[in-house]
Amino acid sequence: MELRVVVAPVFGTNCCVVSAGTDCVVVDAGAGVADAVGRLVDDAGLTPRAVLATHGHADHTWDAGALCARYDIPMRLHEADAYRLAEPFATLSPALESALGLHRDDYRAPDVVEPFATPGGSTTLTFGAVTLQALHAPGHTEGSTLYRLDDEVVLSGDVLFAGSIGRTDLHGGSDQVMGETLRDVVRALDPGLAVVPGHGPTTTVAHELGTNPFLAAGRG
């Protein structure tokens, strides 16, 4: 599979286009990426099959509705975060809503939302030639999800960053649950995996296990 990243102008969200052959999925369609993703997909001759989200926060889902409508495809995310799509600001603090610089009147929810479950903690999602493993990783939100691509890359959303982890003080977040996710899900990842987080630079699981204070210090 091939991975291309488009960085959103709002909050620098890493929007990932994952392709295999001519099939692709878009992961984390942050605010302001729709046109750039559309050009990338069309220029490469790709056929989008779905828009996915690592979690339901507005900075990861704002342009999902536009891309779903453009390509007549569904929105897929963990069932525990699906409720967030109807009103993107309902579960964010007023300060964060202001910081995003977005206006609720401009928001378009996806027309078709197909939530998925993760029985036993994970599930396999297939979109044409694209196959991803979805790993439930709550703590930042109830439905936060890691997407593992083959045995090479994991898209970590706002669970794991280079040198840090996602915040747990927003609605649906939990410091205790995040600790469990870091212990049971993140530490169990193959150290050889590259990590593309929801924001910021890429890293590797091995590097984070050795240097990230939330992992190396035995948190959780």
Side-chain angles (χ1 to χ4, degrees):
M1 284 190 285
E2 187 172 356
L3 174 65
R4 303 169 175 89
V5 178
V6 177
V7 179
V10 177
F11 267 33
T13 302
N14 291 324
C15 174
C16 299
V17 178
V18 181
S19 62
T22 59
D23 295 321
C24 75
V25 295
V26 179
V27 183
D28 285 350
V33 301
D35 287 344
V37 168
R39 287 193 298 271
L40 185 159
V41 165
D42 296 344
D43 290 348
L46 300 175
T47 301
R49 300 300 183 184
V51 175
L52 282 66
T54 56
H55 62 290
H57 282 159
D59 56 323
H60 292 255
T61 64
W62 190 265
D63 276 13
L67 287 168
C68 288
R70 177 170 179 169
Y71 295 104
D72 191 23
I73 54 178
M75 174 74 180
R76 305 295 307 275
L77 77 168
H78 195 279
E79 60 183 3
D81 265 19
Y83 74 96
R84 296 174 181 270
L85 297 176
E87 174 44 73
F89 293 127
T91 58
L92 295 177
S93 69
L96 186 55
E97 178 179 341
S98 176
L100 287 171
L102 303 174
H103 303 284
R104 63 186 66 223
D105 291 342
D106 297 329
Y107 175 69
R108 174 176 182 169
D111 294 327
V112 178
V113 179
E114 298 178 356
F116 58 80
T118 49
S122 69
T123 193
T124 298
L125 303 174
T126 300
F127 309 93
V130 178
T131 298
L132 307 89
Q133 184 180 22
L135 306 173
H136 190 206
H140 180 62
T141 67
E142 310 95 318
S144 287
T145 302
L146 309 181
Y147 294 110
R148 191 170 67 191
L149 320 180
D150 295 328
D151 294 320
E152 298 180 358
V153 180
V154 62
L155 310 182
S156 63
D158 287 5
V159 174
L160 178 67
F161 301 126
S164 187
I165 62 170
R167 59 191 295 178
T168 59
D169 60 327
L170 298 173
H171 175 87
S174 167
D175 190 62
Q176 177 181 340
V177 174
M178 178 66 91
E180 294 168 356
T181 285
L182 297 177
R183 180 191 66 213
D184 299 334
V185 181
V186 174
R187 287 186 188 146
L189 292 171
D190 183 343
L193 288 170
V195 178
V196 180
H199 308 269
T202 60
T203 182
T204 66
V205 172
H207 183 75
E208 297 311 307
L209 290 175
T211 64
N212 189 315
F214 296 94
L215 294 171
R219 177 189 173 98

